[in-house]
Amino acid sequence: MHLKTKIIAATPMITIIVYLLLGFCANAWHPGWIVFFAIPLVPMILGIDSLAGLYPLVTVIAYLIMGFVWNLWHPGWIIFLTIPVVEIFLPKRKHKSKKKHNFKKIFSYDESDEIED
């Protein structure tokens, strides 16, 4: 497992720990929830495969602008519903496989493969 993958996998637990520390130690429960934005941001920062991966980030930024500038927190959350819709219509991202298997060889039967007594 690569370091990037380990960091991405540990991000949710790290954000929970940071949130709880902010809440219990500094009584910053309300502004502390912002650390949960690290969960979708860390994979994007560590390596964006395509522009399609930017859409959730753009959605979060738009939501924050709508909330802080125009105080539209309540109807603004609806834009998060567009993320799965956009993911459905965007082309699938290709995952690179490091190991290539020769399935013909794996599933073929050859008499020479038998064990002789």
Side-chain angles (χ1 to χ4, degrees):
M1 192 183 266
H2 289 76
L3 180 63
K4 285 183 184 180
T5 309
K6 289 180 181 180
I7 292 171
I8 292 169
T11 301
M13 196 54 110
I14 293 169
T15 56
I16 290 171
I17 292 168
V18 170
Y19 176 71
L20 291 174
L21 284 172
L22 284 170
F24 289 128
C25 296
N27 201 21
W29 296 103
H30 174 64
W33 64 267
I34 294 174
V35 299
F36 289 107
F37 284 125
I39 296 171
L41 290 177
V42 167
M44 290 179 205
I45 292 169
L46 291 180
I48 298 174
D49 296 7
S50 67
L51 292 177
L54 285 176
Y55 186 73
L57 177 64
V58 171
T59 305
V60 169
I61 292 170
Y63 174 70
L64 291 174
I65 290 171
M66 289 172 64
F68 286 122
V69 175
W70 298 294
N71 200 24
L72 294 174
W73 297 106
H74 170 58
W77 64 267
I78 295 172
I79 64 171
F80 287 108
L81 298 175
T82 64
I83 295 173
V85 174
V86 169
E87 290 292 326
I88 290 169
F89 288 108
L90 287 176
K92 299 279 185 214
R93 296 180 212 146
K94 295 181 181 179
H95 297 285
K96 296 179 183 176
S97 177
K98 293 185 180 182
K99 294 181 181 178
K100 297 209 175 193
H101 299 286
N102 187 354
F103 288 105
K104 270 189 168 180
K105 183 172 177 155
I106 293 171
F107 293 112
S108 66
Y109 176 74
D110 188 8
E111 290 180 8
S112 63
D113 292 339
E114 289 184 9
I115 299 173
E116 295 180 23
D117 291 325

